[in-house]
């Protein structure tokens, strides 16, 4: 290979690397531009978004300024103590249902392969 073709190959590799970096920069900068545009839109239209949230909360009968899904938890009974770990496991499920006492057969996962031939391995 001549010196000229080596330099040409080197230039092509550098150009490909530079093009890849340009594409990555362009793709990620586009994501940053979209994020900045979303934040700018939210800042510009803050009053409209707040009034839409207020209307939504008024329809749902909530006085919150922001819509959030409310989760309900059952309150603990008066005088009821939390379960101990053993009691929790006992309460979690009974063993009176039909169960299979033998474990699953995973013997097919054991690597019991043998060499294809009786030749000795090659030492390098």
């Amino acid at each position: 290979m001549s010196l000229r073709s080596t330099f040409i190959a080197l230039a092509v590799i550098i150009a490909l690397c530079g093009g890849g970096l340009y594409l990555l920069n362009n793709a990620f900068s586009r994501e940053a531009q979209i994020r900045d545009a979303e934040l700018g839109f939210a800042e510009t239209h803050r009053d409209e978004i707040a009034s839409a949230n207020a209307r939504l909360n008024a329809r749902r009968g909530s006085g919150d300024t922001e819509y959030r899904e409310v989760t309900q938890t059952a309150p603990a009974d008066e005088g009821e103590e939390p379960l101990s770990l053993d009691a929790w496991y006992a309460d979690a499920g009974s063993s009176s249902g039909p169960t299979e006492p033998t474990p699953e057969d995973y013997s097919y996962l054991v690597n019991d392969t043998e060499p294809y031939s009786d030749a000795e391995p090659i030492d390098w």
Side-chain angles (χ1 to χ4, degrees), residues 8-92:
I8 291 173
L10 186 61
V12 168
I13 289 173
I14 291 173
L16 287 175
C17 290
L21 289 175
Y22 173 76
L23 289 175
L24 285 174
N25 184 28
N26 194 15
F28 287 118
S29 67
R30 179 71 179 145
E31 292 290 326
Q33 290 172 357
I34 290 172
R35 185 178 60 248
D36 291 341
E38 288 175 353
L39 292 174
F41 180 84
E43 182 69 30
T44 304
H45 300 285
R46 182 185 316 169
D47 297 334
E48 296 171 20
I49 294 171
S51 65
N53 277 339
R55 284 192 307 260
L56 178 65
N57 288 329
R59 265 190 262 152
R60 295 189 58 83
S62 172
D64 295 338
T65 58
E66 188 175 331
Y67 172 72
R68 289 207 169 98
E69 188 69 31
V70 179
T71 58
Q72 297 287 335
T73 58
D77 293 335
E78 293 286 329
E80 183 180 322
E81 293 185 19
L83 294 173
S84 68
L85 187 60
D86 293 332
W88 184 83
Y89 277 117
D91 189 44

